[in-house]
Amino acid sequence: MSFDGGILALPFYEPRHVERARQIESWCAEHTELWDNQADPDATGLRILRALGEHGWLAALDPAAGPEGLAAGDCRSLCLLREALAYADDLADFAFSIQALAATPIVRHGNEEQQRRYLAPMAKGTLCGAFAISEPEVGSDVAAIGLRAERVADGFVLNGKKAWIANGGIADLFCVIARTGEGPGALGLTAFLVPANTPGLTVGQRVPLIAPRSFADLEFVDCHLPQDSVLGRPGGGFVIAMEVLERFRMTVGAAAIGFARRATDAALTHAKNRSMYGARQFDLQLVKATFAEIEVELNAAALLVARAAWEADRGDPAAAKHSSIAKLYATEHAQHIVDACVQVFGAAGLVADSVPERLYRQIRSLRIYEGTSEVQKLIIAGSLGGRGRAK
């Protein structure tokens, strides 16, 4: 099972969340054929995206037509969906999460025409989105973005590069953060909506990763955009980027739990069925200690993610801190859990394309994207404010 029923029974979640969790768990079990063949991550990602849209899992990306927010406005549901999809398959979680990440800025900051034009097809899975922040020399330090957006009489002209863009090779629409220069650093950034077929935009090299996913670099050469391509207000790009990242960091923690729980279930099954020293491997004291540590870490991670999502849904000003805490703890400990499970499998855990080997490769990136673990520590420490002042 991809969920801990005891966690779902806590007051953090409402009955609708529990029902949604059971529905996505069942859906994943019934649609494994969507990700069985992953020879081409681009094709697999699009196939999964279409299915997610067809079966209503992206409906909340179009609030005007869909049910009460699941991805855009309900962080608890979003976390539960990611946990179940990550348990099922890496590319299933990837397809869902990047689509939600790309649509959320439009949901929260798009004008009526932008929402009408883009959200319905994104919710149906027929228009694939991407969120373009990173650059060859810029990662976590968003305020240092260098892609230039020069004002001209009828809009803007973009010149520069983006790097490590998830869905970069298959996206139909990019939400791009560029420098328009209203002020220094963070104050001079603006968000733009850029269709993939815009002249001057070129999808560059596909990025080969240890866990294959659809990543590519982008290049903008005299890429002309009309005035109505601006998302939100000029100079508001940093706020949009930070808001989206703060909301989604907790969901990375949720995905980490899904990966870790899948590894744990596989390792438990292996240990309980393997004979060693005249008994089951699971009955060895050190093996039991390993699983005890894993259970503690899984519970702690799930509680931190649940709290972060609950805080965000109720509008707590400290939700960003809790989102960083959840991401930091869950991803760091998921890495430890997956590594421990490979150790339980022994040599069998190193076999190419086995469950533990795949998870060992797939879990690593979660400690990097949407803010590295080191950046999360800076955010958490910076949130402490006046605490600890002696009287």
Side-chain angles (χ1 to χ4, degrees), residues 10 14 24 34 48 51-52 88 91 95 97 116 122 132 137 158 165 177 191 202 205 213 237 252 267 318 326 341 356:
L10 294 173
E14 301 168 22
I24 187 63
L34 291 171
I48 295 171
L52 288 169
L91 289 184
S97 63
R116 183 198 62 78
M122 292 185 84
E137 303 300 327
L158 274 61
I165 305 306
I177 307 297
T202 302
Q205 177 182 346
R213 300 171 179 135
V252 181
C341 290

Side-chain angles (χ1 to χ4, degrees), residues 78-79 82-87 93 97 249-261 305 330-331 334 363 366 369:
L78 181 53
C79 285
R82 285 204 66 178
E83 183 176 339
L85 289 165
Y87 184 97
D93 169 63
S97 63
R249 280 170 179 150
M250 69 187 79
T251 78
V252 181
I257 294 168
F259 286 127
R261 202 179 298 283
V305 168
T331 58
I363 195 64
L366 275 66
Y369 71 73

Side-chain angles (χ1 to χ4, degrees), residues 65-152:
E68 183 181 352
L70 297 175
D74 181 351
C75 291
R76 285 169 290 178
S77 288
L78 181 53
C79 285
L80 291 172
L81 291 173
R82 285 204 66 178
E83 183 176 339
L85 289 165
Y87 184 97
D89 184 77
D90 175 45
L91 289 184
D93 169 63
F94 184 79
F96 174 82
S97 63
I98 302 305
Q99 187 78 342
L101 183 74
T104 296
I106 307 174
V107 173
R108 297 181 66 82
H109 298 279
N111 59 39
E112 184 176 346
E113 170 58 23
Q114 290 168 336
Q115 292 183 353
R116 183 198 62 78
R117 184 187 309 171
Y118 296 122
L119 292 182
M122 292 185 84
K124 294 175 183 176
T126 56
L127 187 147
C128 179
F131 195 36
I133 296 181
S134 297
E135 298 179 1
E137 303 300 327
V138 177
S140 298
D141 185 8
V142 176
I145 280 175
L147 174 67
R148 300 294 305 182
E150 181 183 357
R151 289 179 180 271
V152 293

Side-chain angles (χ1 to χ4, degrees), residues 22-37:
R22 296 309 179 202
Q23 289 172 345
I24 187 63
E25 190 173 50
S26 296
W27 186 85
C28 288
E30 295 167 2
H31 291 83
T32 57
E33 76 283 353
L34 291 171
W35 44 82
D36 280 346
N37 182 1

Side-chain angles (χ1 to χ4, degrees), residues 79 83 248-261 264 294 296-308 321-339 363-369 373 376-377 380:
C79 285
E83 183 176 339
F248 272 79
R249 280 170 179 150
M250 69 187 79
T251 78
V252 181
I257 294 168
F259 286 127
R261 202 179 298 283
T264 302
I294 288 173
V296 171
E297 292 171 353
L298 281 173
N299 272 268
L303 288 169
L304 288 170
V305 168
R307 181 188 177 177
K321 176 187 75 172
H322 293 295
S323 189
S324 289
I325 291 172
K327 181 184 188 295
L328 174 64
Y329 187 91
T331 58
E332 289 289 331
H333 286 269
Q335 178 88 52
H336 170 259
I337 289 169
V338 172
D339 183 75
I363 195 64
R364 186 60 183 86
S365 66
L366 275 66
R367 294 166 58 203
I368 296 173
Y369 71 73
S373 292
Q376 303 315 308
K377 291 176 183 178
I380 295 164

